[in-house]
Amino acid sequence: MSENGSNALWGSRFDGGPADSLAALSRSVHFDWRLAQYDIKGTLAHIKALHAAGYLTVAEHQKLEKSLEELSRRVAEGSFTAKPSDEDVHSALERGLIEIAGAELGGKVRAGRSRNDQIATLIRTYLLDQSNVIEELVLDLINVLVDRAEENLGVAMPGRTHFQHAQPVMLSHHLLAHAWPLQRDIERMREWRKRASLSPYGAGALAGSTLGLDPNLVALELGLTGPTQNSMDATASRDVVAEFEFILTLIGINLSRFSEEIIIWASAEFDYIKLSDSFSTGSSIMPQKKNPDIAELARGKSGRLIGNLTGLLATLKGLPLSYNRDLQEDKEPVFDSVDTLTVLMPAFTGMVATLVFNKNRLELLAPAGFSLATDVAEWLVKQKVPFRDAHEITGKLVSFCEKNSLQLHEVADADMAAISPKLTPEVRDVLSVSGSIRARAGAGGTALPRVLEQITALRKFSVKR
């Protein structure tokens, strides 16, 4: 504790302690305490560098190692916690180390580092660990989507654009369309790790250190690939946090888009799916209700994730080099986003794994809304009719059906010929859902061979971790 009675690490040039209101505003230990074990691990690496540079004897290094291991144990079991007088996780842990190792030896640890390079490193190591947790959760959902796609091979459903009936697709194809964005999110996460795996330790407050400590040694001890390239950039930038937040936000948005469909599909009007009782809730007044709360919460929490990202970006946008206290505001948003996704993902995955598809209704509605009209137009193109003319002929056929309350396949041969001589009876070969799906065998199409290729590719991706 400093002479002015504070545990702060900066008070030596001040005649008195900070005003209570300033202390309250400055305090971050209530949210950055989750970095405690990362701080201790960083300090273990730092004292190894101090020892290698000759600033700690063998005995001092060994005693500090044992003291930090004891502090780690106390933190883990909860016997050492932050006090209201602790400004942040760093000051709290220095207090704890001094209680164990003594003021003289414990006081040597701060040499050669600043809270600026310290926290810039800790947030990286924390987020790297959390990225692995979130990746596993996203992979779990991808695997469930692939499982559900494999279970429902051959089931047709309406495909939509502008939320109107467009063309029939395989249910499996639709489910996999939600898996691929998540796969890309994981690829983004893996690329982000390469940029995040650099250690700001050694940057000091902003200009580096004169003590000759080896930053490569510290990086190696922390499992990072090496030191950052510029000391000012290392302490002043939080793009690594913002990028991580962006990836989490995209994951949330992808869940939200799927949620919107699940909510609609579960309605009586659509009746595409039935949600499991275990992943639904009821109403406090209407006993018949089964509400898609997980999907609604996922949709709602995507807004929270967007808010965390935009708030962080707004904080960063006007900061001059190098460190500014504004950067204290980088942690709460990303902590909240991590917590939001880690609690949301298992429930969302369970909902998708247990919902039941109404296959009969999906297949009944697959040809509705004249969804085979494009097949007619493309059949005409295969008969050497220019697409412009084929589009017009098919449009007239659809108009005739609407006026006469008919489906495309119900139009008599004579009526088709009256619309256009080019609409010969052979056109009926494409007026089936199965034929339409089977014909879309191009790259990425909804035909069975292409869907099976997607399943194989996603399975391979999921096991290559």
Side-chain angles (χ1 to χ4, degrees), residues 40-53:
I40 294 170
K41 186 177 180 182
T43 301
L44 282 165
H46 179 63
I47 64 170
K48 189 167 185 177
L50 285 171
H51 170 57

Side-chain angles (χ1 to χ4, degrees), residues 85-316:
S85 57
D86 292 320
E87 183 178 31
D88 54 28
V89 63
H90 317 297
S91 58
L93 292 174
E94 182 174 288
R95 172 177 60 79
L97 179 60
I98 288 173
E99 288 175 4
I100 299 169
E104 182 176 353
L105 183 55
K108 291 187 175 184
V109 172
R110 207 191 306 169
R113 74 176 181 185
S114 162
R115 285 189 298 179
N116 296 0
D117 61 348
Q118 196 175 353
I119 190 58
T121 306
L122 301 190
I123 193 66
R124 287 170 181 251
T125 53
Y126 168 80
L127 292 181
L128 283 165
D129 277 356
Q130 298 308 309
S131 74
N132 289 319
V133 173
I134 291 170
E135 177 174 327
E136 290 299 316
L137 293 172
V138 175
L139 283 170
D140 287 344
L141 177 55
I142 290 174
N143 284 326
V144 164
L145 285 167
V146 173
D147 289 342
R148 301 312 310 268
E150 206 162 35
E151 291 169 16
N152 292 281
L153 288 171
V155 177
M157 69 174 293
R160 296 172 183 270
T161 63
H162 307 276
F163 207 61
Q164 304 297 310
H165 283 253
Q167 295 172 345
V169 296
M170 287 180 63
L171 171 58
S172 301
H173 192 61
H174 192 120
L175 292 172
L176 295 175
H178 286 295
W180 286 109
L182 296 170
Q183 183 264 358
R184 293 193 293 275
D185 291 335
I186 290 176
E187 287 188 330
R188 291 184 186 98
M189 190 78 79
R190 292 174 180 175
E191 286 294 318
W192 168 85
R193 286 194 196 108
K194 298 175 185 177
R195 291 181 284 280
S197 294
L198 294 175
S199 171
Y201 254 110
L206 78 159
S209 169
T210 65
L211 298 184
L213 306 184
D214 183 359
N216 287 290
L217 186 156
V218 176
L220 181 65
E221 287 293 305
L222 294 175
L224 303 175
T225 56
T228 48
Q229 299 91 338
N230 182 292
S231 60
M232 293 180 74
D233 173 56
T235 59
S237 299
R238 290 297 186 271
D239 54 318
V240 70
V241 181
E243 185 180 0
F244 183 79
E245 184 78 73
F246 170 72
I247 296 168
L248 267 56
T249 301
L250 268 185
I251 293 170
I253 288 171
N254 288 327
L255 296 183
S256 182
R257 294 183 67 198
F258 194 10
S259 295
E260 178 74 6
E261 291 187 335
I262 288 171
I263 292 163
I264 293 167
W265 290 356
S267 67
E269 291 79 5
F270 273 71
D271 192 26
Y272 284 8
I273 60 171
K274 290 287 188 291
L275 296 172
S276 166
D277 289 353
S278 298
F279 291 92
S280 306
T281 63
S283 165
S284 61
I285 189 173
M286 295 171 285
Q288 83 281 8
K289 291 295 292 299
K290 181 190 279 192
N291 297 326
D293 276 19
I294 292 173
E296 291 174 351
L297 286 167
R299 189 175 59 181
K301 288 181 183 297
S302 68
R304 183 181 187 132
L305 295 167
I306 293 167
N308 287 338
L309 173 61
T310 54
L312 175 58
L313 293 175
T315 297
L316 299 178

Side-chain angles (χ1 to χ4, degrees), residues 388-446:
R388 181 184 181 88
D389 296 338
H391 190 285
E392 184 175 349
I393 291 168
T394 306
K396 290 178 179 178
L397 174 61
V398 169
S399 178
F400 178 86
C401 290
E402 285 181 327
K403 291 174 182 176
N404 293 278
S405 301
L406 297 171
Q407 294 298 316
L408 293 174
H409 67 278
E410 295 174 330
V411 180
D413 290 348
D415 291 327
M416 281 197 184
I419 294 168
S420 171
K422 294 181 172 61
L423 287 174
T424 63
E426 287 73 22
V427 73
R428 299 188 184 280
D429 293 341
V430 302
L431 292 179
S432 71
V433 169
S434 60
S436 174
I437 290 175
R438 188 166 54 251
R440 281 171 168 75
T446 189

